[in-house]
Amino acid sequence: GESVGLHLPTLSVQEGDNSIINCAYSNSASDYFIWYKQESGKGPQFIIDIRSNMDKRQGQRVTVLLNKTVKHLSLQIAATQPGDSAVYFCAENPIDNFNKFYFGSGTKLNVKP
Amino acid sequence: SQTIHQWPATLVQPVGSPLSLECTVEGTSNPNLYWYRQAAGRGLQLLFYSVGIGQISSEVPQNLSASRPQDRQFILSSKKLLLSDSGFYLCAWSPTGNSPLHFGNGTRLTVT
């Protein structure tokens, strides 16, 4: 299902450090997951996706980990840069209606120079 | 390549006035189309989605409606706006279900 948070949790990291952003999804029937990055005043931008038959997927400087047992998704960003500062959302796609995507409440990432 | 256009970028409307937000997609055919709303500091709430012309699925009963008069055109409407309709409205498309959504740059609606 869909979850909407009351406020955005914030993660502050030093430039060059690795960042880990977490997401707990609600529907055990979801089988496709996406991470999005949203900069202020803009629409969300696709970062990386993973399907439920995988535990890990790597992109350029980003890695997504999926733990279906505890319904947990994480996004790891290596060597975080100031341009990574944004709000990050996970989205889940339920297997019983693959036309829908439900978004988490988001995490704000602040990268300190 | 595919592009998605949303307009206007910002809109200020009085309570009780009508609303029409338009979204068009170029470079693809028969896309899935979506309207999401985002309140300040919150996640995205799915409002409507469409898998074809004239086919609209509503997620949340509310003061809004959606229409898809053409394959690549998606319109969000209201007959009478409420203060609670204020928010950031995002249109998105995907080539099929179970594939990534691609978002427009949104419309910031303020109802006064």
Side-chain angles (χ1 to χ4, degrees):
Chain A
E2 184 178 2
S3 62
V4 178
L6 295 177
H7 65 275
L8 284 175
T10 300
L11 174 66
S12 292
V13 300
Q14 204 69 38
E15 180 180 358
D17 288 351
N18 297 334
S19 302
I20 300 176
I21 300 171
N22 295 304
C23 176
Y25 63 93
S26 55
N27 189 343
S28 58
S30 292
D31 77 332
Y32 178 50
F33 304 87
I34 304 178
W35 279 101
Y36 283 91
K37 172 186 180 182
Q38 186 179 28
E39 296 175 327
S40 181
K42 295 185 178 181
Q45 181 180 16
F46 172 88
I47 302 174
I48 191 167
D49 58 0
I50 188 168
R51 300 197 182 268
S52 60
N53 60 350
M54 302 174 69
D55 298 322
K56 178 180 179 179
R57 190 162 186 228
Q58 289 184 291
Q60 188 177 11
R61 277 203 310 121
V62 295
T63 301
V64 54
L65 298 177
L66 175 63
N67 185 329
K68 295 179 286 294
T69 303
V70 294
K71 293 188 289 184
H72 184 268
L73 197 65
S74 68
L75 176 70
Q76 300 178 0
I77 305 174
T80 314
Q81 303 168 0
D84 295 327
S85 292
V87 177
Y88 290 81
F89 293 97
C90 64
E92 59 180 303
N93 189 218
I95 198 170
D96 57 347
N97 189 333
F98 56 83
N99 290 312
K100 295 184 186 180
F101 278 91
Y102 295 105
F103 283 73
S105 54
T107 297
K108 185 173 183 179
L109 176 65
N110 284 332
V111 182
K112 297 175 284 187
Chain B
S1 64
Q2 301 87 7
T3 56
I4 180 169
H5 303 279
Q6 262 190 266
W7 65 93
T10 58
L11 189 61
V12 180
Q13 292 282 105
V15 169
S17 64
L19 173 73
S20 181
L21 300 181
E22 189 164 342
C23 172
T24 59
V25 181
E26 295 177 356
T28 187
S29 58
N30 197 31
N32 285 1
L33 296 172
Y34 301 81
W35 280 111
Y36 281 85
R37 177 170 60 198
Q38 186 175 29
R42 294 196 177 198
L44 283 70
Q45 179 186 29
L46 178 60
L47 301 177
F48 301 95
Y49 69 94
S50 171
V51 299
I53 296 175
Q55 299 179 57
I56 308 295
S57 296
S58 175
E59 276 292 287
V60 182
Q62 58 207 326
N63 188 39
L64 302 170
S65 62
S67 62
R68 184 171 178 173
Q70 300 181 42
D71 181 43
R72 291 169 291 170
Q73 184 185 30
F74 206 22
I75 298 173
L76 183 69
S77 303
S78 174
K79 291 182 179 178
K80 288 186 178 181
L81 284 168
L82 306 172
L83 286 174
S84 58
D85 291 323
S86 294
F88 191 45
Y89 288 83
L90 290 155
C91 182
W93 74 274
S94 67
T96 63
N98 211 234
S99 61
L101 300 181
H102 305 276
F103 286 87
N105 277 327
T107 294
R108 175 79 57 194
L109 172 66
T110 304
V111 182
T112 60

